[in-house]
Structures are given as structure tokens and as C-alpha cells.
Amino acid sequence: MAVSSSSFFSDFGLLWYLEELNKDEFNKFKLLLKDETEEPGHQQIPWAEMKKAKRVDVANLMNKCYPGEQAWSVTFKILGKMGLKHLCEKAKAEMISIAQAVKPEDTTPMELEEEEKAMLGDGTDYKSQIKADLCIMRNKIHLPGQLQEFCHKITREDRELLEHLFDEDGQTGEQPQIVVLQGAAGTGKTTLVRKAMLEWAEGNLYQEKFAYAFYLNARDINQLKEASFVKLISKNWPSIEGSIEQIMSQPGRLLFIIDSFDELDFAFEEPESELSSNRNQEHPVSFLISSLLRKVMIPESSLLITTKPTAYKKLKSLLKRHRCVEIVGMSEDARREYMYQFYENPKWATQAFMSLRNNDIVFKMCQAHQLCWVFCTCLKQQMEKGADITLTCQTATSLFTCFLSSFLVPEDKSSPSVPNQFQLKNLCYLAAKGIWTLQYLFYREHFRKHGLYKPDVSIFVDMNILQVDSDYESCYMFIHLHVQEFFAAMFYVIKGHWKTTDIPYQSFEDLNQLLDSKDTHLMQMKCFLFGLVNEDIIKQLEKTFGCEMSRNLKWELLEWVETLENNEHSLSKLTFLELFHYLYETQYEAFTIQVMSYFRTINVAIRERLHLLVSSFCLKYCQPLQTIKLSATVIHKERPKSPDETWQAGQDDDDIRYWQDLCSVLHTSEHLKELDLFHSNLDGLATEILQQELRNPDCKLQRLRLRFVSFPDNCKSIFSSLTQNQNLTHLDLKGNNVGDNGVKFLCEDLKHPEHKLQNLSLEKCGLTVAGCEDLHSALIKNKRLKHLSLADNALGDGGVKIISNALTQSQSTLQSLVLMDCVLTSACCQDLAYVISNNSNLRNLDLGNNDLQDDGVKILCQALRHPSCNIQRLGLQACGLTSLCCQDLASTFSVNQRLLKINLTQNIFGYEGIKKLCEVLQSPECKLQTLGLSKEAFDEEAQKLLVAVVVSKPCLIIKSTFDEQDVEDGS
């Protein structure tokens, strides 16, 4: 027979709680105990014994007359009559704690669960209350675009996501206590957590993990000023369930859901030391939420929090370790299904889906039900008119404009259903202020402050621009964040006087403040702002609202772009991709040409199809373009199979078309001289397009950098186009997997008499000694190559011997050779020394990061002192040198009048070595202009010597770093 926790506790625990009573309370307890009705099986405690009994005696008498749990049952009853409910709750909580600690071996889990339910209740009434409340909430809420089946059913994907939110991390094995659901507005975060509450209440979710779950909505929380934590979570707690304090004895089995963190009107600036763990003490609600988030209040509990991305940084600063899950909204299949349910005509549904899908920007917006409804609504009206919806779907700005027009086509300008210019301007002001300050909820006092009263607000509610909160009639929000952003952008173009009160000037009213801001949450508003440059859009809005829009926006934007072009600091704050997004939203060719005319160099990283779309649109209008720096990783990459193969093929064709448009700049832009393509991944078709553009006779490229680019054929197709491009003089293939086989093809092209290449970098290209044979023959036959970098290839001494042999031929024109990190030793120095003393054209030699050591450098120094040596720049950094070679170096400095730059950083010379060098550095015979040495690497005495050199010889620069550009150009 299992021993229950309560009987175990009653052996000594009853006395503890009798000790809690003062003298008067204890006497009253005895009187009430005397009057306790005798039940079958109970012994009556004689009053004579009771009257004189002390606390310990009363406890013993009760355990004798009321065995097991009966003693506590009577005690709870009497304490309840005395109004000492808190002692009952405390005792019950302690029973559970002891039960969990003791767990006798013969106590089965079922017996423990039954006992726990007997003391706490099983939460049935609470769960019933939750289900009833969620049902009421579901019936009250109706957002535009939420079709019945999309709102309420829990999908297989939803259930799978919810079930695994609190699973152990596969890598660390840790189980998260805090999970954050982050997603854009309207993607279904609130719906998902409400479904989670309902599934838990119905017994389908988290039954083993969480005994109780509590849903806290930001809008409810904002209504409270001060409360205790128990009061905060008691909103849905039924009185018949018992005290909510009882469940706090199992803190690890509690789940708190905080919905819409981004709407909380709190600064969360309280120091952690001031937070509270007291559940019953009243505090400002911000303190309670902060205490819960920062694991001061009930630290063992679990949290599930939803937020928009704009508030995630703020939330993250409050949390310790947590798991973040992105909620993206409706899947592609769900969007397709939605549209087929929205339209009665399947052909219309197909047409709308295809038109929206062809624009990545607006199709991504359709992940939100409300926006899917907005776009479907306006496209339906367009199709009813027989209009071409392809034009409408070009930009989000045109779709939102079309949507507003579908509701606002008044026959009578005085119609009360149409907002006047004053009302519209004030709403736009409120929208803009909200976007700047991350405010998405508006109360009547906000509207009144800006001259908008209930009848004014009702106009916008009727037009499905604003919606009323289902629980708070005085609370409003735009039907979607993007709708608020659209009206916020309109604030900057609507003309007319609008302020009715003495509202002080706000900084966000300055257009340049908006344009200069780097806050990411303002980007969509800026996109809409640029979209409003389009003359057709402006005319449609003027017709819709019957108000006048400013035509100055175009010129204000051009002035701003001009300041960017003249200010490198401002330009660095704006990514070109961001600008390209804005310009694409205009669909205004003349304006885009004007904006792009300010830029000579473009730097852009293409990471998704949308980037490719906007970049190809803008670059073709950049007429003065001279340099493109481009990284592309999504060109025609593999896509998951689509049920609509025709549409899938069309998407792939679009990708190639966008890439073709972008690459066409190589021959259409007459001023383009340099292409820097880096960290990119191109497939066969994309490579072929690039190759064709390089071959185009109108291609004026002179410098081509292809660094860390993945080609399917190891650059062979690129090599074949080199002989046909008569302008290309610089080729950089750093980080490409060319290999010895690829170099064979390259060298065949280098031998061609039409080849114009002067500067070639094969750094980190996987070359070995085998590839040096092909380079040997190419170097002998090629009469134009001036610079060659073979850095970071495992050539070894054998490879350098082969290269050196080619450079000693009388016809070698090479002026600069880079052999850094080529696994060289002193064994190759004799071959290099022969080149130095016999090749009069060689001006630059970089041997850094090779284990040449003192013996190798001594051999090189002998050659450097040879009268035929023309070396002007020498790299010997990190070559394992010591003070033993410093005399040779010093002698070279005084004899060689042509050596201007030498890099000796990362060598251990010591004081004696520095002393020898400094003696000659100060002499007039030394013509060095730049010396690579890190002063900080030496002791104080050596540093003093170097400082003295700089003072006595101002023309000599001692620096710790050398620019890569110096190496590349051989300067």
C-alpha cells in the first residue's frame, strides 16, 4: 500500500501550521474542532483533553482521531471557517513538494497523479473556460481576408510545428524554456498561439509537459497599471477551480504565452536588481512582465512569445537563452488554395495567382491573409472591367492604389463616405508617426489629438483601412502594417494645411530624416514613397480621394541622391540593393535614369531572386557606370518541384532573363571598365551568358576580377573568351578551383598573339608543380604579361625552379611576381637569385610567408647587390628571419640604389638586428622609401632606434602593413 504524501506530511506537518496560529487563533481553532461533526469511523476528542492541550498535543490528538488524510481535511475546513485561506494554500503546495521529493518506491505514477489531482484539481473547469473564451473570441474577430476555413482549422503543419517547439536541441541537447515566434505582420502568429491554447485545453497538445497554460495578450496587459502576478494571470481562472496559487507549486509545468510583444507599451528599462519574484505583491505591470521575461518571476516556467521582427532586438536583450522560430505565413500552396476559394471563376483565380506570383515582392506580401485579400479584391475589380492586371501587379504601390480606388469611387464629391483632405492628411500623419515610433495600436485619444473624432474614424473603418479591436472598442489598428506604411508614405505628398492643435514639429516630418535613416523598419514606407513618384499613381490617388498631391517629391528625391553621390559617408549608409528596391517600385524609367546617373561604381550582393530582379532593372539605366562589384549566389539555382511545371519553367526563364539583362550592361555601358564578381555560384547557363557578354565586340571591360567564383567547368569557358576581348588587360581568378588542368587551357590562350592580358592573378587556385610546366611555356611566348601572382599555391621549390627558368629567358617581359605562401624554402633561393641578377625587367618580387630563413635571404641579398638587379619592391614578411641576416640586409640597403620598398614584418630580429638596420637606414646611401616593420613588436630600446630613424630621415616611411593593391600593381 502506497503511503500518500498527505499522510506522510501529517505525521509532523500539522504541528508546523498550528504553530503559525497566534494564541487567539489557536483557541478559536480548538473551539471549532470541538464542534466538528463526528463522522463514522472518527473518535470524538474529549473536550477535557482539548481544553488544556498545547499545540503539539492537539496535533497528536488529531492524528489519532482522524487518521491519514482525514486530519488535514478537517484542518482545511476549520482554517477556511477562520478566514485563513492562505495557510490552506501554503500547506497544499508543501504537500505536493514533499510528495515529489519523497516518491516512495511502491507509489505508482497513477497514484501520484490521482493524489495531485485530489489536492489541486485537474483543471477541467479552467480548460472549459479557455475553450469558451476562445470560441467567443473566434466569433467576434473577423479580419479582412480571413476565410473561415483558413482562420480556425489547425493544419498538419501547424500541429507539427507546435508539437516540436520545446523539443531538445539536436546539437546541444538542451531543452528550451523560452521560444520566440517571430514573423512579419499578418503571418498568423496570434492565430497560431491561440490554436495552441485551444489544443492544450482540448487535451491534444502539451499534456505531458504543461499542467497549465496561460495566454497573456499585449492589448490586455496595456490596460492594466498595477497588479499582482496572480491577479494578472487570473483573468480566465474560474472561481470553482480553487485558488490559482495552488498550481504555483509545479512551476516547471507552467506555460505562459505572451502574444504580440511588439505591442507592449513598456520601455523595459528596470534594473534586474529591482525586479520581483513575489507573486502576490502588487507592482507596475511592466515590472511583472519584465520579471517574467528575465526569469526572475517563476524562473522554472516556460515562455512562448510572439513578436514582429521590428521588436525582436528589444526582446532579445531581455531574454537569456531562447529558441527563435520564424513564422512566414501562408505557404505557396496555401496562397494558391486561398485564391481559388476567393474567386468563383477558376480562370480568374489562375490569372490572379500567376500575375501575383510573377512579382516576388507582392507574392511574398500575400503570405498574410489580409494582404492576399487586398490584392485579390482589387484584381477582381480590374478583371470585371476587362483591364490588364499584369500592369497592376508590377508593384505593391500600384496594387494598394488600386485597392483604395475599388472602395473609393464616389459619384458625389460631398459623399460622407469619402475622407476629405483634412481627414486624410491627419490619418497619414498618425500613420507616419506610428511607423517611426513602432506604434501600431491607436486609441481614441490619439485620433482626437489630431483632429479626428469618431465619425471621421468610422469613414476609414467602413473602407477597411482601419479595424476596431474586438475587445476594446476604443482601440484601432490598420488592417495590416503595410497599409499603415502606405498611408505613412502618403503623408509626404499630400498637400494642404492640416494641424488643428499646437502639435510641436516632429523630426519625422522632414523627408530627409526619413531618407537618411538606416532603421530597417522604415524600408517599406520608403519603398511606397518612391512608388508615389510615378505620375500615373499620383493621378489615380488624386482622383480617388479628390485631393491634391505634391509633384515636388521627384525633385526632392533627386536632390537627396545627389547628396549621396557627393558624400561618401552618406553613400556608405545606403546599400545599393536598398536603393534598387526603391527605384524598382517607381517603374519610372526617366526617373531611374536620372538617379542612376549619379553613380560610377556599384557594389551589390545578390542573395535571392528579388535581388536579381531589382538589380537587373536598375543597372541597365546606369549610363555612366565604370565599375561593378557583384556577388551572386542564386543564379538559376535548383528549385523544389512545383505542381505547375509550366509555371516552374516560366520562373526559371525569368531568372535567366534577369541575369541576361544584368550581364548585358557589359556591352551596353560604354564607360564600364571593371567587373569584380566575387563569392558567386554560377551554373552552366549563367556562365555561358557571362561568356557571351565578354566576347561581345562592344564590351569595353579592361579589368575582370572573378574571385571565389564557382564555375561548372573550372573557368575553361571564360578562358576561351579572353582572346576575343581586345580590351581586357587584367584578370584575377583568386580562390577559383582552376587547378593544373585548368591552367593548361589558360596557358594555351596566353600563347595566342591576339591576347592583350597584362596582369594575371592565380592566387589560391589549387596549382602544383605540374601546372608550372604549362606556365613556363606561356611565359616564354607571351610578350605582354607584366604581373603574375601565384600566391597561396603549393608550388614548392620545384615549381619555382621551373618558373625561374622561364623568367631568365631574354624575351621575358614580366615585371612583377608574387610567390607568397607557396611552400618555399631556402633551397629555391639560388634559382630566384639568378632571376634577380639576370632579369632586368623584374621590378617587384614578393616571397612573404615562406620558410626562406637567414641562409636563403643571404643568397638573395648577394643577387640584390648585383649591378644588373632592378628590383624596386621586395616582400620578405614572415620568412623566419633573425638578426643573423641583418648585416646582409643592411649591406644590400647601402649598395642597391634602386630598392625602394621592402616588407620585413613578422620576423624576429631583436635589438641587435634592428641596430644594424638602423645604422644604414640613416645613411644617405640608403634610398629606401618604405620599410615594413611593426615597431610594437620590438623592445623599448629598439623602438627608440626606429623612431630616431624616422626623425632623421622624414622621407622614409616605416609601417606595419602593406596594401594588397601595391602587390597587385607591382607598385
Side-chain angles (χ1 to χ4, degrees), residues 588-618:
Y588 190 174
E589 181 177 332
F591 177 73
T592 304
I593 290 174
Q594 285 179 286
V595 171
M596 296 304 294
S597 69
Y598 289 107
F599 302 108
R600 307 291 183 272
T601 299
I602 298 292
N603 191 336
V604 62
I606 296 175
R607 296 289 178 265
E608 57 185 69
R609 185 171 179 265
L610 179 58
H611 298 164
L612 182 58
L613 168 64
V614 299
S615 298
S616 64
F617 174 81
C618 293

Side-chain angles (χ1 to χ4, degrees), residues 691-704:
Q691 173 196 348
Q692 289 173 354
E693 291 298 333
L694 291 172
R695 287 179 171 181
N696 192 301
D698 292 326
C699 177
K700 301 294 193 299
L701 273 188
Q702 296 178 0
R703 291 173 176 260
L704 177 61

Side-chain angles (χ1 to χ4, degrees), residues 327-369:
I327 305 299
V328 297
M330 287 196 292
S331 66
E332 185 170 311
D333 288 340
R335 280 170 275 178
R336 179 195 298 269
E337 182 184 349
Y338 181 97
M339 292 180 198
Y340 276 89
Q341 291 193 28
F342 181 91
Y343 294 102
E344 296 179 3
N345 187 334
K347 291 183 179 179
W348 284 13
T350 301
Q351 191 178 353
F353 178 80
M354 297 291 284
S355 298
L356 291 168
R357 185 62 190 87
N358 284 332
N359 186 324
D360 283 6
I361 298 173
V362 298
F363 193 65
K364 186 175 182 179
M365 288 182 177
C366 286
Q367 290 175 328
H369 290 98

Side-chain angles (χ1 to χ4, degrees), residues 258-294:
I258 301 178
D259 188 19
S260 302
F261 170 85
D262 48 280
E263 293 181 2
L264 288 173
D265 193 19
F266 305 140
F268 292 109
E269 295 174 346
E270 306 86 358
E272 191 163 340
S273 59
E274 295 182 11
L275 300 179
S276 174
S277 61
N278 190 318
R279 301 186 296 265
N280 295 294
Q281 186 177 348
E282 289 208 349
H283 289 283
V285 175
S286 61
F287 269 60
L288 299 179
I289 299 300
S290 187
S291 300
L292 185 64
L293 292 172
R294 292 156 80 175

Side-chain angles (χ1 to χ4, degrees), residues 98-109:
I98 291 176
Q100 292 172 342
V102 174
K103 293 184 181 176
E105 293 181 4
D106 57 344
T107 303
T108 66

Side-chain angles (χ1 to χ4, degrees), residues 356-407:
L356 291 168
R357 185 62 190 87
N358 284 332
N359 186 324
D360 283 6
I361 298 173
V362 298
F363 193 65
K364 186 175 182 179
M365 288 182 177
C366 286
Q367 290 175 328
H369 290 98
Q370 300 98 312
L371 294 187
C372 202
W373 172 78
V374 164
F375 297 158
C376 286
T377 298
C378 70
L379 293 183
K380 181 180 179 182
Q381 187 196 55
Q382 292 294 299
M383 286 187 281
E384 287 171 345
K385 293 178 179 178
D388 181 5
I389 65 171
T390 305
L391 296 175
T392 307
C393 292
Q394 278 190 322
T395 68
T397 306
S398 61
L399 278 164
F400 278 106
T401 302
C402 177
F403 167 72
L404 293 174
S405 299
S406 68
F407 282 91

